[in-house]
Amino acid sequence: QVQLLESGGGSVQAGGSLRLSCTVSGAVYSNYCMGWFRQGSGEDREGVARIDLDYSTTYAESVKGRFTISKDDAKNILYLQMNSLKPEDTAMYFCAADPDWCTSVREFLYWGQGAQVIVSS
């Protein structure tokens, strides 16, 4: 059974940085499209970033130039480095995985429980 566990959330002032981690177990991690999503209070879930089997990446316009998605296949860990954080980045952040190329993924199959990020002004 594939399990995802996020860590690294917390509170930070605007302009600060946080790094989220997502540890994957029960899967051949390198064969999965991995993504980060977020959901603010009262808002719909939105995609933040994805990293494909070939390490190619895509980002939401709202985070381009500030966030970086990466993965360590040897450790089965997905990362999201978040710099220059803004109050509007406050949300619950989720990692997700799907055993396919990202371009073929419509709905991710596996999800973590989420990590809260709070950015104060």
Side-chain angles (χ1 to χ4, degrees):
Q1 183 177 356
V2 178
Q3 292 184 321
L4 309 177
L5 181 62
E6 299 95 338
S7 61
S11 297
V12 65
Q13 288 192 324
S17 298
L18 283 174
R19 188 176 78 161
L20 300 179
S21 300
C22 174
T23 302
V24 182
S25 60
V28 181
Y29 172 72
S30 61
N31 294 340
Y32 280 62
C33 169
M34 303 294 298
W36 286 100
F37 292 76
R38 67 185 181 186
Q39 187 168 19
S41 179
E43 299 178 0
D44 293 333
R45 187 179 64 198
E46 64 169 339
V48 174
R50 294 186 181 193
I51 185 164
D52 219 326
L53 280 70
D54 62 357
Y55 292 86
S56 60
T57 57
T58 57
Y59 295 92
E61 285 296 324
S62 59
V63 306
K64 276 185 180 178
R66 300 188 298 122
F67 290 11
T68 302
I69 188 172
S70 62
K71 62 176 182 169
D72 186 329
D73 285 345
K75 296 181 179 179
N76 277 16
I77 300 177
L78 175 74
Y79 300 102
L80 184 69
Q81 178 66 44
M82 304 182 292
N83 299 329
S84 302
L85 281 161
K86 305 175 181 180
E88 51 263 45
D89 295 318
T90 295
M92 185 72 78
Y93 284 72
F94 300 89
C95 65
D98 198 281
D100 206 342
W101 288 89
C102 286
T103 51
S104 299
V105 175
R106 294 295 175 263
E107 285 290 337
F108 279 79
L109 188 58
Y110 302 106
W111 292 84
Q113 294 298 308
Q116 182 68 50
V117 171
I118 299 172
V119 184
S120 57
S121 57

